[in-house]
Amino acid sequence: MDPGFSVDDIAPIAILMDELRSEDVQLRLNAIHRISTIALALGPDRARNELIPFLQDSVDDEDEVLLALAEELGRNFEEYIGGSEYAHLLLGPLENLSAVEETLVRDKATESITKVSAVLSQAQIEQFYIPLVHRLSRGEWFTSRTSSCALYAPVYDKVAPPLQDELRRSFATLGSDDTPMVRRAAAKWLGPLVKKYSKQHVLTDGLVIYRRLQSDDQDSVRLLTVEDLIAIAQQLTPAEVKDQLLKQIKQTVSDKSWRVRYMAATHFNELADTVGQELVREELIAHYVQLLKDNEAEVRTAAAGQIPGFAKLLEKEVILARIVPCVRDLCQDTSQHVRAALANQISGLAPLLEKDATIEHLLPLFLHLLKDEFPEVRLNIISKLEQVNSVIGIELLSESLLPAIVELAEDKSWRVRQAIIEYIPLLANQLGKPFFDEQLGNLCMSWLGDTVFSIREAATLNLKKLTEVFGVEWAKVQIVPRVVGMGQHPNYLYRMTTVQAISTIASSLTLDIVRGEILDTLLQLSADPIPNIRFNVAKALEVLATTFGDTAEGRQLVLQKIVPVLEQQKNDQDADVRFFAVRALQKAHEVAA
């Protein structure tokens, strides 16, 4: 284990303690971050006998320092104190940190205790870890009881049955604690613990705790029980779920708090996957429709995000009868966020409904969403068109697709314009060369002259991707002449874009195209009156040299055409041009050597 510097450089424990007692928080923080290195220098015996007791008494400090200490003790710190047989000694300082007021410190301390538990033997767990859990669980302050909830699941299956009985009883007490924060923690950690229970104990203990928490008067507790519901359902058969949990499922989906219903909608597919198809058809579909029609937009948004995943569990006829009418309503939803979520997922229904039903029922909805006034809705539809295309073909969509793309391409928000550029290669692949050349070719070139640099940069990268989609010969005809033509433009931004586009797409082209169509324009721009263009030419020439200089023909081009221009540029009156020319010249000589 390399501490990063020699042991001789380590400050003795006395100096460390002085640093930890310093009034300077940063000094104390630095000392904490050096603890593992210092423990290594002290050796295992002194680390156990001096350092650990000192740390156990050092909990009266700034939260930032305590957080660092909790984190350091969880980083395999047992290796510095003699190995896993002494790992239980770390539980002392971590127990103290688990009871402090600051939540971040407590969470990090319990996380580190969990890491330590992984290296403890069963004897150590029963002798040291379980008593720690009981002390925290019965602590006077809610902070320690809250922390204790996270510590049951990691060791439950590592202890003897009598201790498991104790742990279940103790956790049940936490689930009915007077303090909402403790019950909230119990709800959060019940799921991981129930997964360790036997079927019998899920039914006799887990369900009791869950039902109590699921009917809690605090919605912040109830919303955390949604994941507990799934964890318990995973342990039961579909018949047992129907018998034991159906009431709770109904209560959760109909909860008076939208936050609870939102959690139910967010995790609905996980629940549906767990309970079995029969229960989905008989019960869950009605609950899901209820969530899709919820009066809160946040709930409808979450439910819309589950549409294709849930629909996979249903027959085609059921999707058409129950889900598609809801989808049709959501297309007209007053909330743009609901429509955006729907647009992101609706295409997933196409493979399930197949061609005829997709054309009849979904195509009108796609076209409607493509005309939505909210850009994100249109973008989401366009980004997922591949699924629809694979089912019905792009022809039926292209009529409405093109106006939507053009409108997005001219959106006043540059971020929207940038987003549609990123989807162009995907669309190009679907549309094919003829349609693309006729309808979108000019649009792609127009982005090169955008007033926003990020758009021009994205547009050049777009050309490179299009070259990879349609091939070099297509690029030679459709892209290269237009890029080169911009090099003669009176506006320097267009000339700059030519240089940057050449740098970007060069690696996707052939040496013949570069030599015959591109290089002369680039060399002419090396004498441009604008220094920014001249030094970008130097950078572009460096790209060409490194890209094509690995062949005899390429090396000849570098020596005959590129090097002479760079030799001139290295004497340029502008310092930046000279810098990049010298750098490019060095690279050119390296590849041509």
Side-chain angles (χ1 to χ4, degrees), residues 463-484:
L463 296 183
K464 176 181 171 67
K465 291 177 180 176
L466 288 172
T467 300
E468 293 167 359
V469 171
F470 289 147
V472 172
E473 290 304 314
W474 174 86
K476 180 180 178 180
V477 174
Q478 296 293 336
I479 291 180
V480 172
R482 301 187 192 190
V483 169
V484 169

Side-chain angles (χ1 to χ4, degrees), residues 8 73 84 99 208 329 340 359 458 515:
D8 294 336
L73 292 178
S84 58
V208 173
D329 291 341
I359 292 172
R515 181 172 51 202

Side-chain angles (χ1 to χ4, degrees), residues 300 325-336 338-339 342 364-365 368-369 372:
R300 298 196 302 276
C326 295
V327 170
R328 198 174 290 120
D329 291 341
L330 292 174
C331 282
Q332 311 284 344
D333 200 278
T334 54
S335 167
Q336 62 190 31
V338 174
R339 300 196 306 275
L342 176 68
L365 305 182
H368 176 79
L369 291 169
D372 196 279

Side-chain angles (χ1 to χ4, degrees), residues 247-451:
K247 179 183 176 184
Q248 279 70 39
I249 292 173
K250 290 178 179 178
Q251 287 176 345
T252 298
V253 171
S254 307
D255 196 280
K256 62 183 178 181
S257 167
W258 72 266
R259 296 168 66 200
V260 179
R261 302 197 305 275
Y262 172 83
M263 286 294 286
T266 302
H267 294 280
F268 205 84
N269 284 353
E270 291 177 67
L271 179 61
D273 287 336
T274 300
V275 302
Q277 278 199 313
E278 184 181 345
L279 199 58
V280 167
R281 287 195 300 269
E282 291 178 2
E283 300 287 349
L284 289 200
I285 188 166
H287 298 319
Y288 183 60
V289 169
Q290 182 180 335
L291 291 170
L292 287 172
K293 296 181 175 181
D294 196 274
N295 57 6
E296 290 291 339
E298 288 85 352
V299 179
R300 298 196 302 276
T301 300
Q306 306 282 301
I307 283 175
F310 185 73
K312 286 177 184 175
L313 303 173
L314 306 173
E315 293 86 356
K316 178 179 171 181
E317 293 72 21
V318 179
I319 298 174
L320 289 170
R322 304 296 299 275
I323 302 299
V324 170
C326 295
V327 170
R328 198 174 290 120
D329 291 341
L330 292 174
C331 282
Q332 311 284 344
D333 200 278
T334 54
S335 167
Q336 62 190 31
H337 302 293
V338 174
R339 300 196 306 275
L342 176 68
N344 203 34
Q345 301 294 337
I346 188 174
S347 58
L349 290 175
L352 303 175
L353 295 180
E354 301 175 333
K355 185 173 182 178
D356 291 343
T358 295
I359 292 172
E360 181 182 351
H361 298 283
L362 292 187
L363 185 57
L365 305 182
F366 293 140
L367 300 182
H368 176 79
L369 291 169
L370 276 170
K371 298 173 184 175
D372 196 279
E373 62 181 0
F374 187 46
E376 189 179 346
V377 177
R378 306 196 297 272
L379 282 173
N380 286 352
I381 278 286
I382 290 170
S383 69
K384 296 293 180 70
L385 279 179
E386 190 169 8
Q387 287 177 297
V388 185
N389 181 32
S390 65
V391 176
I392 67 171
I394 199 68
E395 295 80 11
L396 290 168
L397 280 172
S398 58
E399 192 175 311
S400 291
L401 182 63
L402 188 62
I405 292 173
V406 172
E407 194 172 337
L408 287 166
E410 297 171 351
D411 195 275
K412 62 183 178 180
S413 168
W414 69 267
R415 295 184 188 279
V416 173
R417 300 200 300 276
Q418 185 176 27
I420 192 62
I421 290 173
E422 291 171 359
Y423 293 131
I424 286 295
L426 172 67
L427 288 170
N429 201 30
Q430 297 170 15
L431 294 168
K433 289 182 190 178
F435 185 92
F436 184 86
D437 291 344
E438 182 182 344
Q439 305 289 355
L440 294 179
N442 290 333
L443 185 61
C444 287
M445 299 309 297
S446 71
W447 282 319
L448 292 171
D450 198 280
T451 55

Side-chain angles (χ1 to χ4, degrees), residues 1 36 39-49 51-52 76-90 119 124:
M1 191 180 306
S36 59
L40 187 67
L42 291 171
D45 289 341
R46 291 189 66 196
R48 290 195 302 272
N49 298 327
L51 183 58
I52 296 299
N76 301 318
F77 201 83
E78 70 277 358
E79 296 177 11
Y80 303 102
I81 61 173
S84 58
E85 63 181 296
Y86 297 103
H88 62 273
L89 296 175
L90 300 176
V119 301
Q124 287 174 306

